[in-house]
Amino acid sequence: MKIKILFSTITAMTLLIFSAGTVTAQSMETTVPSLENESTDSTQSISDTVITTKVKAELAITEGIKSNDISVETNNGVVTLTGTQPDETLIKKAEAVAQSVKDVVRVDISGLTVDATPAN
């Protein structure tokens, strides 16, 4: 009698586990296609993140530019540079570097200013 109860319990648990797996698989099937229909906002933000990373990297390796003093933000391919640089020439150089990155639509440097404080 105890063996029958144990066997019934094991069988019931096995059926529950398999049916839960089937429900999960079916749920995933209905969820995954909806991800393909996501709006372009998520794709756009990924592209913007990649552009921002590339611009920061290019600024970091460009001679003369104080990249730690420049913040980079990208929205729909438009790169906005804010911060300071020692002179106007380096601001223009930072703009050119940012514009050279693939998929950059436009570069806004209105937030970059000349820092007239002498370096220590």
Side-chain angles (χ1 to χ4, degrees):
M1 182 74 168
K2 288 184 180 182
I3 294 177
K4 283 186 176 181
I5 293 173
L6 182 60
F7 182 72
S8 296
T9 304
I10 291 172
T11 304
M13 289 175 63
T14 304
L15 288 172
L16 282 173
I17 290 169
F18 282 119
S19 60
T22 304
V23 169
T24 303
Q26 289 173 347
S27 298
M28 289 184 73
E29 287 174 8
T30 58
T31 303
V32 172
S34 69
L35 291 176
E36 294 171 2
N37 297 327
E38 286 279 323
S39 68
T40 57
D41 289 343
S42 63
T43 306
Q44 188 62 44
S45 65
I46 291 171
S47 297
D48 287 345
T49 302
V50 170
I51 291 170
T52 298
T53 302
K54 288 180 179 180
V55 169
K56 286 180 178 181
E58 289 297 319
L59 289 172
I61 62 170
T62 301
E63 189 176 332
I65 292 180
K66 297 174 77 177
S67 61
N68 289 338
D69 294 340
I70 298 177
S71 295
V72 180
E73 289 185 28
T74 307
N75 189 8
N76 294 322
V78 177
V79 175
T80 303
L81 303 178
T82 56
T84 61
Q85 286 298 290
D87 58 54
E88 189 66 36
T89 305
L90 291 175
I91 290 174
K92 291 296 183 186
K93 190 173 186 178
E95 178 183 27
V97 167
Q99 190 63 57
S100 73
V101 172
K102 183 181 177 202
D103 297 325
V104 170
V105 175
R106 184 172 59 84
V107 179
D108 176 8
I109 59 166
S110 63
L112 273 179
T113 58
V114 174
D115 182 9
T117 343
N120 292 337

